[in-house]
Amino acid sequence: MKTFSKILLLTGVMLTSTAFAQERTRVQSDALPRATMMDIYVIGGNQAAVQFKMSKDGGIQQLPLAQFKYFYMFEPEDFQSAMESYQNDNFREAKAKFGKVKTRLAAMQGLPDNYSQEAALYELDSAIRLLDWASVKTLCDSFPKQVPLIADEAQELEVNQLFAKLADNSYDALLADTQKMLADKKKWTLPQLGRIYYILGVAQAAKNQPEALDSLAVPVVASHGGEKELAASAILTSLDILLKNDKVVTFMKSVPSSSTVAQKSKAPLELKEAAALAYFYKNILCPDRVLNPKYDALLAYYTTPSARQSKPATPSAPAPAKK
Amino acid sequence: MKRSTYISALSMAAVALMGTGMVTPANGQEGGPPGLQKQAMAAMRANEWSAALKSIDTCINTFGARAKDLGFDDKFGWFYFQRGVCLMQLKDYAKAIEAFNECYSKYPGVENEFVKVALFRRGEAQYMNKQYTDAIASMEQFMKERRTTGAEARMNLGQVYSMLAQCYFLGDKPDMTKGVEALSKCVVNRYKGKGIDDSYLVKAFMAMVQACLNEGKPKVVVDFLAKYPSVINLGAVRQAPYGTELLQLSSKTYEKMVEAQKEGKEALANSYASLSLDLASLIPDTNQVLGETAKIVKKLGGLRGIADTSVVYDKRILDQVDKIYKKLKAEKKPLEGYGLMGVANTHLNYGSIRVANKALELLEDRYSVLDKREDNLFQYAITTWTLGDVVKGSELVSRHLNTFPKSRHVDILNTMSLEKLLKDKKFDQCLIQSKKVKETNADDKSNKFYILASYCEAASLSYLKRYAEAVPLFQEFVKDYPDSGYTAQAIYFLGSAQTTLGRWADAIATFSSYIKKYPAMENNPLLANAYYERAYCYMQKGEDVNALSDAKIIADKFADSHVYPMALVMIGNIYTAKTETLPQAKEFYLKGYEAAKETKQKNVSSEALYNLMANAAAEATPESLKEAKKYVELFWSEADFAGNPFATQVAVTGLTINKDGGDGFEPNAKKLREIIIREGELNALNPKVEQAIGSYTKLYLETMEKLGKGLSLDAVREHFYNFPGVKKDDVSLRTILRTAVIGVYQDQIKELKPNQNEMRAQLEGNINVFFKELTAEFKPQDLSPYTLLKLGNHLSMTEQPLMALPYFEEIIKRNNEYLKEARFGKAIALGRSKDAAKIDEAIKIMSAELADERAKKNPDSKAMEEAQYYLILFQKDKGDYAQVVEQSKVYMENKAFKKHIVEAQYNLGLAYDKLNKLDQSLASFMSIANANKGQIRWSAPAVEQIMLVLWKRNRPQDGRKPSDRYFASTYGENYLGLTKSLFTRMSISEREQWRKVEALVKKYSADAGVIAEAKAVAERAAAIRESQGKKH
């Protein structure tokens, strides 16, 4: 076993003597006094060397990672707390907590399955859920990459990094990137596909491309509504597009919301679509949020499923008599 | 991953507690309590619950009554507690309740470590025994009495609240408030103290969902989830074991939503919708589950499990999850696919068509083997259509019908496949289907299907060439739906139909509206076509300047369009009408030919080459004839194809320009023969074939004569009887060839001078031989009714029409097929005989046919029309002009008779002329000329007659009213000016008719009286202009 000073020299890890994070880790190594499974307290390291203490109060030791037959880092309590906030959809709190975990455990970023990198992933995801593109950009730029992510996480990061370009309004780049990624749609999980389409839709909307509505519809369904923030944002962006649609504007002018149901039923498809989305947002997706009053007028053009079902069947025209 | 059942959780807890609760060292014998306790513990660790129970019961039965005497005090409660645990494992809940109760009541002292925990265990046993009220009491008692030390202090209260919540939700009368309160506490306490199994939360949550569905209170869950989403929002791996149950609950909730909608309970339905989507969103993504599971398993290494800070991972359960989700993936039945179906249906239900469409698209792209694909693909097609993507919608309809030929949605899909029917050219079917769809959607004319059907109905009629019916439908469509996705095509279709009907002005207006409405060239393939069609209509109206302007727009701006080569040829045609622009004509024909060659439009290149050839041949200089021959060769090598409308004309011209008998004669004669055979086989009724045979016969016989190779009768017979390429059984073509030779001989007789008796006798001899051999070879009794009719009809049109009679008589004798046609043929043959008695017989037959038809209940109006028309002709041949007038009027007054209306009117004009009723005669001819100006075959003879009648009437000039003869001259001149642009498209006979008018104009304009009057008119006009201050 090497001495601590040598470890520092070998690994270049900078540790302050007073603020070592020490995380319980179950290990097994012939180089340790007990060759069976045991818990140690890891304070940092990388593939070349792991720094640890045998007990919380013990001295710092080190071993190359390869000398551990088994190496399982337990979930830190602050990570678990951040995760609880995340699972409660409290993304602001989660982002802050994950950020702290990431920093606190920075010395472990060279170790496999380390919670600093894990926290960084969740911190980034929380920023996306908060639609905080500036944070996403910053987090992407500083994402810890000392150890490679597993394939699934790497793919998720590939998608999430796209959001950073929204911070710069780099719509042309996003149009190109997303179209390239969508060349192989089946590569992505449904939630990932929803995110790619969300970005594409936002970029298309910014460029006044009519396909934006189609793209923005995907995130509403891809995670089955699970990523409510993106779904809600996609709907509101769609509503903004539809509110500017010539047919919608003309019809709403000529047939105001106070008109009869029969008159309003002749609304163009675009207005019917907008009304349905506004209703869905207000009553089903986000009943706990206040719908911006600018969309209220749309609701007057909506026919609820109940009203549609209660509409009496119209008898078909009689067949003409033989002349 | 935590264990997912209570029993496994309890067993773990029990074993854990055993380790800390071992009792007394008092009696160490094997048969004493410590020994029995040791045995029981060993059995319990080995999951041998019956063995453990046996040891425990032995101890209780042996020592229970005197436990305290033996010094065990309340620690003996251990045995009762573990008895309860074993009985729980053995699912004997009633006895377990009793055991825990005894632990609590018999050994209440502090020495009994399990005395309070027994209350909780009793509650659990009561819960398992569905005694929810009792369980609640036990749990609440536990919460009240529990200590802060010992076994219960190490317990996670989350599990107690979970049990409580479940009991509140699952009771006969669920207490939603207390249940929600307990579940809230469960969520809040879950990470406090020792971690608990996820199943405690999930089971409680699901109990809440089920209770809320039963009670019709979905909002309770929606609100709870909004406040405590982490109750079930655990991440893909931890949610994975509950995927199926979550899917079932989501589906049940969706059904409740539909029920509520039916009952008009909008708010309730919305809550159900919200909950259904929340539940669907919890169904984990298969790939995520597999990815995360693999990551955890890798972390576990060789361990069977590990208790992490907030969760216990059990490799056995992780392996099970991995196996199940891999199987679902392999079977292409991932749970999220079904979840997505629910999402699609919810959005569909709420009218978010585009969102639903995207969900359905994902389903089709990623989960196309789901057992509900028939419905999914159907809805995908419907929503795609509704969103206006007709092309993709059609493709999806085809995909659906190909995949599910017996689809239960076939009726609706047929509705949607209207466009496909059009594309597949099933116009009759499309017409019927369109009408049905319109009827079905008659209550909402803004409905997409109604609009589509309206368009398809009119388009089908147009394709079926029922243009007169299609026009009003297209007009209505364009008016009602000025901005539909089909309006552009509808306007174009309308213009085309109007063009076909010869409504030039209407068509021009329609195409102009198209050009104005859709002026953008991008993605507008019909724009160039509209210009071309409008140019064509202008030409038909004689407005060559406008036509040229449109054609040049195409030439300048639409070089990539399909009509580009056609427009170039059109420009050539316009320039051909004037001698001075013939060089330009040639230039554009050549350009058109090159362009058409490049785009492989043989029909266009053949027209260009034909006109180049015709113009060169008409110039008739040695150089131009050489050029013409070159175009003929190019035509055959590059532009010909079976059915080419110019083939017979090119072949005839090719032979004509080689009729000098040089080297080119035989190859061109051979070519014409081949074309006659080819086109005759394609369409025996093609009049151009008959004309070509006539031309061939004439040219062939004349050239042979010119070359001094005048063919003997035998040689002619040999040549035409064994015409190369004609099949033996092609009686129709063979008879046409025979009669053509007869026709040539007959024409030659007509041209003979009266003193050429020898030649006449020779020709008549030849004709007789031909007829004789014709009748000998084609014996009536050997021929089929159809051949009899064809031969009879051919012969009746020769100069010896009576030769046809035996063939018609044979049909009549057989009294079977074609009887009516044979009687008609016989009458026509008799009527054309120039024998008054036979004409009378023809009139008698026709009158009888007419009378017969009139007497029928359902008269054959076609036959009646033909009979009435022939009566006119017969009377004319007989010279009874009063009767011609009478029969013509009868024909014209019958509104159902249209086929020969122009001929009837023409004969009326002729008859009036013969009867010297010149004013009426003029009126008849003018009516024809005015109504059919563009149709040369009608207008040219009528104009000729007008000029002749005016010349004959010869009224002098009356003040400013011109004289008849001056008017005749100017009338003809105007007509020539208006129709000269059509000259290139006129048939040979039309050109001859047109030339007759031209000759008359030339003749009349040279008349001294006409010249004088023209001069006077010109002087007067000049004087008027001068008085108005104009130079010219």
Side-chain angles (χ1 to χ4, degrees):
Chain A
M1 198 178 293
K2 293 189 177 86
T3 62
F4 180 51
S5 58
K6 282 181 184 169
I7 297 163
L8 289 178
L9 287 171
L10 280 169
T11 63
V13 174
M14 298 300 290
L15 301 173
T16 61
S17 58
T18 54
F20 293 161
Q22 43 188 24
E23 294 306 314
R24 187 163 71 99
T25 305
R26 184 150 299 171
V27 296
Q28 186 179 9
S29 171
D30 294 338
L32 292 174
R34 197 148 49 96
T36 55
M37 286 282 187
M38 62 181 293
D39 288 353
I40 60 172
Y41 295 88
V42 172
I43 59 171
N46 53 27
Q47 293 279 335
V50 179
Q51 297 93 53
F52 61 93
K53 296 198 278 187
M54 294 299 288
S55 67
K56 281 187 178 180
D57 303 325
I60 298 173
Q61 301 179 26
Q62 51 80 35
L63 268 182
L65 185 65
Q67 287 199 19
F68 289 97
K69 288 180 186 170
Y70 187 74
F71 193 88
Y72 181 98
M73 293 183 84
F74 285 95
E75 185 183 47
E77 283 184 8
D78 52 355
F79 181 90
Q80 183 264 312
S81 169
M83 186 57 89
E84 195 175 0
S85 301
Y86 179 84
Q87 288 172 345
N88 272 322
D89 293 350
N90 188 347
F91 299 113
R92 196 164 301 285
E93 189 178 275
K95 180 171 167 278
K97 286 182 179 176
F98 281 125
K100 281 182 185 169
V101 175
K102 179 182 76 176
T103 309
R104 189 177 68 77
L105 301 179
M108 297 177 194
Q109 283 174 2
L111 293 170
D113 298 326
N114 72 82
Y115 278 94
S116 180
Q117 193 183 50
E118 187 83 358
L121 281 173
Y122 279 101
E123 184 188 21
L124 178 58
D125 194 73
S126 300
I128 291 168
R129 302 294 191 97
L130 290 165
L131 312 178
D132 181 356
W133 312 137
S135 284
V136 171
K137 188 168 186 286
T138 310
L139 294 173
C140 285
D141 290 344
S142 61
F143 191 85
K145 288 179 180 168
Q146 285 93 321
V147 285
L149 291 164
I150 61 164
D152 289 351
E153 287 172 344
Q155 181 166 302
E156 192 157 325
L157 184 64
E158 186 184 350
V159 174
N160 290 347
Q161 281 173 332
L162 280 178
F163 287 94
K165 288 184 182 166
L166 284 177
D168 301 331
N169 299 335
S170 306
Y171 300 121
D172 287 327
L174 284 172
L175 287 174
D177 291 348
T178 48
Q179 297 287 11
K180 204 172 160 189
M181 290 166 91
L182 290 171
D184 181 10
K185 289 184 192 170
K186 290 188 179 165
K187 174 183 171 185
W188 313 101
T189 63
L190 271 181
Q192 286 167 354
L193 198 67
R195 289 186 172 198
I196 297 170
Y197 269 109
Y198 173 85
I199 294 163
L200 174 62
V202 171
Q204 286 169 328
K207 290 275 177 185
N208 290 320
Q209 293 182 2
E211 297 83 2
L213 287 175
D214 283 319
S215 301
L216 290 166
V218 181
V220 180
V221 294
S223 62
H224 304 178
E227 301 199 337
K228 198 176 275 190
E229 303 72 24
L230 290 178
S233 166
I235 287 178
L236 294 178
T237 309
S238 296
L239 287 178
D240 287 337
I241 294 169
L242 289 165
L243 268 180
K244 287 181 205 154
N245 181 283
D246 287 345
K247 287 184 195 170
V248 173
V249 172
T250 309
F251 190 86
M252 286 176 81
K253 265 186 195 164
S254 60
V255 182
S257 56
S258 55
S259 308
T260 64
V261 172
Q263 286 170 320
K264 286 189 283 189
S265 70
K266 290 175 184 167
L269 178 73
E270 291 79 359
L271 179 50
K272 287 179 178 170
E273 189 180 349
L277 284 175
Y279 184 88
F280 181 79
Y281 181 97
K282 184 182 167 82
N283 296 288
I284 294 156
L285 186 67
C286 304
D288 50 337
R289 298 184 199 175
V290 178
L291 181 68
N292 189 319
K294 69 176 174 177
Y295 307 120
D296 280 347
L298 292 169
L299 296 168
Y301 296 88
Y302 184 66
T303 309
T304 62
S306 300
R308 261 184 275 137
Q309 291 185 10
S310 61
K311 186 181 167 188
T314 310
S316 57
K322 191 171 165 44
K323 306 248 176 356
Chain B
M1 170 63 45
K2 285 205 160 190
R3 295 171 188 237
S4 61
T5 66
Y6 290 114
I7 296 302
S8 59
L10 283 169
S11 64
M12 273 187 72
V15 172
L17 286 168
M18 281 184 324
T20 60
M22 198 47 239
V23 212
T24 173
N27 193 334
Q29 307 144 307
E30 283 294 307
L36 290 166
Q37 186 183 44
K38 201 175 170 187
Q39 285 173 21
M41 282 173 65
M44 286 162 79
R45 285 198 182 95
N47 287 335
E48 290 169 359
W49 303 103
S50 295
L53 185 63
K54 196 177 171 186
S55 298
I56 290 167
D57 280 350
T58 302
C59 186
I60 289 173
N61 293 336
T62 311
F63 306 107
R66 48 197 179 97
K68 285 187 182 172
D69 298 339
L70 291 170
F72 286 114
D73 60 44
D74 282 354
K75 284 180 185 168
F76 200 79
W78 184 95
F79 289 96
Y80 285 93
F81 182 82
Q82 300 302 351
R83 182 167 195 267
V85 169
C86 292
L87 287 165
M88 285 281 280
Q89 290 293 334
L90 295 168
K91 295 184 176 24
D92 191 343
Y93 303 118
K95 284 186 181 166
I97 294 167
E98 201 181 304
F100 289 127
N101 208 30
E102 284 179 293
C103 172
Y104 174 75
S105 54
K106 285 188 176 174
Y107 304 96
V110 289
E111 297 85 359
N112 181 0
E113 191 181 1
F114 301 101
V115 64
K116 303 300 178 190
V117 179
L119 286 172
F120 170 69
R121 296 293 179 215
R122 185 179 73 189
E124 268 190 324
Q126 286 162 333
Y127 161 82
M128 296 303 288
N129 215 28
K130 297 187 179 175
Q131 296 168 228
Y132 300 121
T133 311
D134 294 341
I136 290 168
S138 295
M139 300 284 178
E140 284 179 346
Q141 191 181 352
F142 169 72
M143 292 302 290
K144 199 174 160 189
E145 295 182 12
R146 77 187 182 98
R147 298 168 300 192
T148 52
T149 55
E152 62 261 46
R154 292 194 296 274
M155 277 185 67
N156 186 318
L157 289 183
Q159 69 191 95
V160 184
Y161 288 119
S162 165
M163 300 299 298
L164 259 177
Q166 289 180 68
C167 291
Y168 283 124
F169 290 131
L170 295 173
D172 290 340
K173 291 179 183 172
D175 187 333
M176 306 304 288
T177 310
K178 285 189 175 172
V180 166
E181 192 189 335
L183 186 54
S184 311
K185 287 180 181 170
C186 174
V187 175
V188 171
N189 284 288
R190 65 202 284 197
Y191 294 126
K192 289 178 182 165
K194 192 175 171 63
I196 57 165
D197 194 307
D198 285 338
S199 65
Y200 279 103
L201 280 102
V202 178
K203 289 273 181 185
F205 171 73
M206 286 180 175
M208 173 169 71
V209 175
Q210 193 57 63
C212 287
L213 292 182
N214 293 342
E215 296 290 300
K217 293 175 179 172
K219 198 164 183 306
V220 172
V221 190
V222 173
D223 291 345
F224 187 89
L225 275 174
K227 200 170 178 186
Y228 303 107
S230 65
V231 65
I232 182 72
N233 184 17
L234 305 166
V237 174
R238 289 164 69 183
Q239 282 163 215
Y242 314 104
T244 311
E245 285 164 90
L246 287 165
L247 179 62
Q248 283 168 350
L249 283 173
S250 175
S251 173
K252 264 187 195 174
T253 313
Y254 178 83
E255 285 166 18
K256 290 273 184 185
M257 175 198 81
V258 175
E259 273 175 34
Q261 285 172 346
K262 279 182 189 164
E263 290 165 10
K265 295 173 181 172
E266 190 186 329
L268 181 64
N270 290 345
S271 290
Y272 277 126
S274 205
L275 178 57
S276 175
L277 288 178
D278 278 342
L279 293 169
S281 75
L282 296 166
I283 298 164
D285 183 275
T286 303
N287 285 337
Q288 264 182 314
V289 170
L290 295 175
E292 288 179 22
T293 305
K295 184 182 173 184
I296 297 164
V297 169
K298 192 181 163 202
K299 268 181 84 172
L300 283 178
L303 296 188
R304 284 161 57 192
I306 198 160
D308 208 333
T309 310
S310 60
V311 63
V312 176
Y313 291 115
D314 184 329
K315 177 134 186 320
R316 190 173 49 87
I317 295 174
L318 286 168
D319 287 344
Q320 212 173 340
V321 165
D322 185 67
K323 191 178 166 191
I324 290 169
Y325 278 79
K326 273 183 180 158
K327 190 177 174 215
L328 287 169
K329 190 178 180 182
E331 290 172 353
K332 296 187 177 173
K333 288 182 177 175
L335 298 178
E336 73 269 23
Y338 292 95
L340 193 56
M341 270 170 59
V343 173
N345 286 332
T346 304
H347 284 286
L348 212 52
N349 186 289
Y350 275 88
S352 303
I353 303 297
R354 193 181 303 275
V355 177
N357 177 260
K358 287 295 150 191
L360 292 159
E361 183 180 313
L362 288 171
L363 279 168
E364 178 61 10
D365 286 351
R366 302 169 83 101
Y367 309 107
S368 62
V369 289
L370 287 182
D371 51 4
K372 296 280 182 187
R373 187 184 176 210
E374 185 177 337
D375 293 337
N376 296 338
L377 185 53
F378 165 71
Q379 293 290 4
Y380 182 26
I382 289 264
T383 51
T384 303
W385 273 64
T386 308
L387 289 167
D389 191 342
V390 173
V391 175
K392 194 172 175 189
S394 295
E395 189 271 317
L396 293 172
V397 169
S398 301
R399 197 190 299 176
H400 185 107
L401 291 175
N402 289 338
T403 315
F404 306 103
K406 292 178 181 172
S407 168
R408 60 178 165 275
H409 305 295
V410 73
D411 285 344
I412 298 173
L413 290 169
N414 277 337
T415 300
M416 293 168 63
S417 64
L418 286 176
E419 282 229 341
K420 190 172 184 303
L421 290 173
L422 271 189
K423 199 176 156 195
D424 293 349
K425 297 186 169 47
K426 294 174 181 171
F427 306 124
D428 286 315
Q429 221 176 318
C430 186
L431 184 62
I432 294 165
Q433 197 63 29
S434 299
K435 285 180 176 170
K436 276 187 195 170
V437 174
K438 278 178 78 175
E439 204 174 292
T440 312
N441 297 285
D443 62 322
D444 179 11
K445 292 186 178 177
S446 66
N447 176 299
K448 268 192 172 297
F449 294 136
Y450 188 91
I451 297 171
L452 169 67
S454 300
Y455 168 75
C456 289
E457 183 185 16
S460 300
L461 284 169
S462 205
Y463 282 122
L464 290 166
K465 300 187 194 306
R466 289 161 64 177
Y467 302 110
E469 293 167 74
V471 163
L473 293 184
F474 277 128
Q475 284 170 328
E476 199 180 327
F477 186 92
V478 172
K479 189 176 147 226
D480 290 348
Y481 309 109
D483 297 314
S484 84
Y486 312 101
T487 307
Q489 292 101 306
I491 297 175
Y492 182 79
F493 254 121
L494 173 61
S496 293
Q498 288 166 325
T499 305
T500 312
L501 291 169
R503 297 178 191 170
W504 315 124
D506 290 346
I508 288 168
T510 303
F511 288 122
S512 297
S513 77
Y514 182 96
I515 291 164
K516 192 177 171 192
K517 194 174 168 92
Y518 306 104
M521 288 170 67
E522 205 177 328
N523 299 323
N524 188 0
L526 293 179
L527 183 60
N529 294 14
Y531 274 115
Y532 180 77
E533 294 258 20
R534 189 170 72 170
Y536 175 78
C537 295
Y538 278 134
M539 276 189 79
Q540 299 305 313
K541 279 192 81 191
E543 296 177 23
D544 283 2
V545 176
N546 288 331
L548 192 60
S549 166
D550 278 353
K552 281 191 169 173
I553 288 173
I554 300 168
D556 292 343
K557 296 183 178 174
F558 297 93
D560 293 332
S561 86
H562 174 74
V563 293
Y564 175 69
M566 293 155 76
L568 295 173
V569 172
M570 180 184 273
I571 296 171
N573 288 341
I574 294 168
Y575 284 140
T576 291
K578 290 180 188 168
T579 316
E580 62 269 26
T581 52
L582 277 173
Q584 287 99 312
K586 186 177 173 183
E587 178 196 335
F588 278 93
Y589 281 139
L590 283 170
K591 278 186 187 171
Y593 155 68
E594 291 295 343
K597 191 177 158 187
E598 200 173 311
T599 54
K600 297 189 173 73
Q601 288 173 271
K602 279 192 173 182
N603 54 340
V604 183
S605 57
S606 63
E607 185 183 349
L609 286 169
Y610 165 71
N611 282 302
L612 284 165
M613 175 208 72
N615 286 350
E619 207 178 317
T621 63
E623 290 77 21
S624 72
L625 286 176
K626 200 175 161 189
E627 211 176 339
K629 286 174 186 173
K630 183 183 85 185
Y631 295 132
V632 170
E633 279 174 24
L634 278 175
F635 184 95
W636 298 128
S637 63
E638 290 180 4
D640 187 35
F641 53 89
N644 188 319
F646 299 101
T648 54
Q649 288 162 276
V650 172
V652 168
T653 311
L655 188 58
T656 307
I657 57 181
N658 283 288
K659 69 179 180 181
D660 56 2
D663 292 345
F665 178 74
E666 191 42 47
N668 280 284
K670 187 179 172 223
K671 190 72 189 179
L672 180 52
R673 287 196 296 269
E674 286 170 1
I675 295 300
I676 286 169
I677 303 299
R678 186 183 82 186
E679 298 300 311
E681 279 178 0
L682 272 178
N683 178 10
L685 301 174
N686 183 352
K688 286 182 180 170
V689 174
E690 285 199 48
Q691 287 166 10
I693 291 173
S695 299
Y696 173 83
T697 312
K698 193 162 179 270
L699 287 167
Y700 187 78
L701 295 178
E702 274 178 15
T703 307
M704 288 294 123
E705 191 69 39
K706 201 184 290 173
L707 291 172
K709 297 178 186 172
L711 294 177
S712 66
L713 182 61
D714 284 345
V716 172
R717 193 191 285 142
E718 172 58 25
H719 188 77
F720 287 94
Y721 282 22
N722 300 311
F723 203 80
V726 179
K727 289 174 189 161
K728 277 269 178 196
D729 57 353
D730 193 347
V731 177
S732 177
L733 201 51
R734 287 169 67 202
T735 52
I736 292 171
L737 282 161
R738 303 279 185 96
T739 49
V741 178
I742 293 169
V744 170
Y745 286 147
Q746 286 171 338
D747 287 346
Q748 285 177 4
I749 289 174
K750 276 188 214 165
E751 287 168 14
L752 290 176
K753 290 172 184 167
N755 58 353
Q756 288 181 290
N757 292 330
E758 197 183 330
M759 180 62 84
R760 179 174 291 107
Q762 191 192 333
L763 288 170
E764 282 176 352
N766 286 356
I767 290 169
N768 285 335
V769 168
F770 265 78
F771 269 128
K772 203 174 162 186
E773 289 179 355
L774 186 72
T775 50
E777 189 175 344
F778 302 111
K779 281 182 183 162
Q781 61 270 30
D782 298 334
L783 301 174
S784 71
Y786 176 76
T787 309
L788 284 169
L789 187 68
K790 289 288 288 180
L791 190 49
N793 284 340
H794 282 308
L795 289 169
S796 69
M797 290 296 147
T798 66
E799 289 301 309
Q800 271 107 324
L802 296 177
M803 293 299 289
L805 289 179
Y807 299 96
F808 293 129
E809 293 291 4
E810 176 65 24
I811 295 173
I812 294 165
K813 193 175 92 185
R814 291 184 198 174
N815 195 19
N816 199 341
E817 285 178 286
Y818 302 116
L819 205 53
K820 194 191 287 177
E821 288 84 350
R823 282 203 289 265
F824 263 84
K826 182 183 174 184
I828 292 165
L830 290 168
R832 294 191 71 244
S833 68
K834 296 186 173 61
D835 178 324
K838 289 199 164 52
I839 296 174
D840 278 341
E841 195 186 338
I843 292 169
K844 206 173 149 189
I845 293 170
M846 279 301 181
S847 301
E849 283 298 316
L850 257 177
D852 274 1
E853 284 303 326
R854 279 198 195 106
K856 284 179 186 171
K857 199 176 174 184
N858 294 308
D860 179 347
S861 62
K862 258 187 170 178
M864 285 172 66
E865 182 175 7
E866 289 299 310
Q868 186 60 49
Y869 173 61
Y870 274 103
L871 277 178
I872 299 168
L873 297 183
F874 297 160
Q875 297 293 3
K876 188 177 83 173
D877 287 345
K878 199 180 155 192
D880 188 343
Y881 296 109
Q883 269 299 312
V884 173
V885 169
E886 193 181 323
Q887 296 301 338
S888 297
K889 283 183 174 173
V890 170
Y891 185 99
M892 290 165 67
E893 281 163 11
N894 189 325
K895 287 183 179 166
F897 295 173
K898 289 176 182 163
K899 187 179 169 189
H900 302 294
I901 188 79
V902 180
E903 292 103 312
Q905 199 166 16
Y906 186 81
N907 282 306
L908 180 65
L910 287 179
Y912 277 134
D913 182 19
K914 293 285 182 188
L915 294 168
N916 215 28
K917 294 181 176 177
L918 301 183
D919 291 349
Q920 288 98 319
S921 175
L922 276 174
S924 293
F925 291 129
M926 282 192 166
S927 172
I928 296 169
N930 290 338
N932 302 281
K933 200 147 279 166
Q935 300 194 57
I936 306 301
R937 67 185 174 125
W938 303 129
S939 62
V943 170
E944 184 193 6
Q945 288 304 322
I946 289 164
M947 293 172 74
L948 290 169
V949 173
L950 283 167
W951 200 264
K952 186 174 167 187
R953 194 172 70 172
N954 194 20
R955 278 185 187 157
Q957 190 179 2
D958 180 10
R960 287 193 180 177
K961 197 174 172 188
S963 71
D964 274 351
R965 292 193 168 184
Y966 173 72
F967 183 59
S969 172
T970 52
Y971 188 86
E973 202 175 338
N974 285 339
Y975 173 76
L976 293 177
L978 280 174
T979 54
K980 66 186 170 190
S981 61
L982 307 177
F983 192 79
T984 52
R985 290 196 302 282
M986 291 179 199
S987 68
I988 292 166
S989 63
E990 284 174 333
R991 288 182 188 197
E992 281 172 6
Q993 289 288 352
W994 195 84
R995 294 284 184 212
K996 278 185 185 176
V997 176
E998 191 181 42
L1000 264 187
V1001 169
K1002 197 174 174 187
K1003 183 182 166 189
Y1004 289 177
S1005 60
D1007 179 81
V1010 172
I1011 292 170
E1013 194 171 333
K1015 194 180 169 192
V1017 169
E1019 283 169 0
R1020 194 164 59 239
I1024 291 167
R1025 280 200 300 273
E1026 200 170 321
S1027 69
Q1028 292 170 340
K1030 295 173 185 170
K1031 283 185 178 176
H1032 298 291

